Amino acid sequence: MSGLYIHIPFCKQACYYCDFHFSTNQTKKDAMVKAIIQELKLQTSYLDKPHLETIYFGGGTPSLLTLQQLTEIFDAIYSYYSVSSDAEITLEANPDDLDTKTLTNLTQLPINRLSIGIQSFYDPHLRYMHRAHTAPEGENCVKHAQDKGFQNLTIDLIYGIPHQDHSVWLNDLSKATALNISHISAYCLTIEPQTVFGKWVQQKKINPVDEEFSALQFEMMMQYLENAGFEQYEISNFAKEGMYARHNSSYWLQKHYLGIGPSAHSYNGTSRQFNVANNAAYIQAINQQTVPYTIETLSISEQINDYLLTTLRTRWGCNVELLQQKWQYDLYKHSGLLLEEYFQKGLLQREGSILKLTKSGKLLADEITAELFLIE
């Protein structure tokens, strides 16, 4: 089983924190859809067994596509690939796009899961991040989607947004859980150099993210969502029982996936491909029957590090026996003293051959994983 990711690189406006590839110029939408359809045809041989169990439309803002454009993409997918009858098919959407007409259109497609970019239920924070929707639109679009029959819903939230206290974040969590959704993805506000926020930090118009403030909100979120019946199955992802995001989980479980569209990534176990992050260059290359990608063949140490990076973030943890069987790598032999230190500090725990981060360890996930990396 494999996954398919399709990148739709258009947005109404630029969010000040966003570092993904997108354009606010939508004049090339039709040309982009045609190129995506052509790449789907050109890439059929990438996956050994192109039987898809998940399809994910990300971006950018896929909800900007028309019913006709989405229909054409789905026709191509089902023409060139085998799709499981119970495939999880997700569309990312912004609240301001999910009006009655759009939701009705989406019910005519194979889409069975919506990922809605709420980010916050507090208007001043939405304006601060330059989001296009209001707090009431955020709540209402979830209810309208449920009324239209979309029961498999996830929303995105952002924590660490500057405020004098944690009241807004607690209110965001309260509103999110009250909406009776099955999945929440929550990300810490990060400031990347090329974003508007990144430039403002350089110009000293705003302060960098307060790491202690963000860490407190992360801890509050873990406890709040656990009390509300959510399981933290990955650092940033929380789900009700049986409602894990199957597509995102495939990344962390190292399943193979194909990425279509500008800036999309693909992975087949031994290499990664990265499509060019330029709309015009992408369309031009595809029109010439060439996929404009860079390929990175993964060394054994890179494969091991990938495994550590992805699995330690999850509830399933890192299997040291699998490391030995697949790559002949003895983690205890190479990092035994470091592991013992993490056990003593309560940052890691052992369950047989499985290593997992504790709640305290999740606060330091990136640091712990980096220190366990195999350096060539």
Side-chain angles (χ1 to χ4, degrees), residues 17 20 56 92 113 115-120 129 154-161 169 172-173 183-191 209 214-215 217-218 221 225 232-238 245 248-249 251-252 313:
Y17 57 84
F20 293 128
Y56 193 101
E92 286 186 353
R113 183 173 181 271
S115 176
I116 305 174
I118 299 288
Q119 316 310 359
S120 177
M129 295 184 288
T154 179
I155 66 170
D156 286 353
L157 296 175
I158 293 179
Y159 62 92
I161 303 168
W169 179 231
D172 280 351
L173 292 170
H183 191 283
I184 294 171
S185 297
Y187 305 99
C188 183
L189 178 66
T190 54
I191 296 181
V209 173
S214 298
Q217 293 201 338
F218 180 73
M221 171 180 63
L225 293 181
Q232 186 179 22
Y233 69 100
E234 193 272 340
I235 293 287
S236 302
N237 287 272
F238 302 78
N248 289 14
S249 295
Y251 299 149
W252 307 315
R313 294 181 62 87

Side-chain angles (χ1 to χ4, degrees), residues 122-177:
Y122 183 58
D123 276 325
H125 281 182
L126 293 172
R127 290 192 292 270
Y128 176 73
M129 295 184 288
H130 203 228
R131 295 291 291 166
H133 69 278
T134 64
E137 282 179 319
E139 286 188 73
N140 291 333
C141 81
V142 173
K143 296 171 183 176
H144 293 157
Q146 291 167 331
D147 290 342
K148 286 292 183 180
F150 287 102
Q151 295 306 312
N152 192 356
L153 297 176
T154 179
I155 66 170
D156 286 353
L157 296 175
I158 293 179
Y159 62 92
I161 303 168
H163 199 71
Q164 67 264 29
D165 56 31
H166 301 296
S167 58
V168 171
W169 179 231
L170 286 171
N171 187 60
D172 280 351
L173 292 170
S174 175
K175 285 185 178 293
T177 52

Side-chain angles (χ1 to χ4, degrees), residues 42-87:
L42 292 171
Q43 292 273 48
T44 52
S45 62
Y46 180 79
L47 299 168
D48 286 340
K49 297 177 181 178
H51 185 66
L52 304 177
E53 65 173 338
T54 64
I55 300 171
Y56 193 101
F57 288 79
T61 312
S63 52
L64 288 175
L65 295 186
T66 65
L67 174 61
Q68 179 63 32
Q69 289 167 335
L70 286 166
T71 298
E72 290 172 1
I73 294 173
F74 273 114
D75 286 346
I77 293 171
Y78 281 85
S79 293
Y80 302 132
Y81 299 83
S82 169
V83 181
S84 175
S85 60
D86 67 343

Side-chain angles (χ1 to χ4, degrees), residues 4 37 86 92 105 114 127 164 194 196 221 311:
L4 175 66
I37 289 169
D86 67 343
E92 286 186 353
N105 287 342
L114 295 179
R127 290 192 292 270
Q164 67 264 29
Q194 297 307 310
V196 172
M221 171 180 63
T311 58

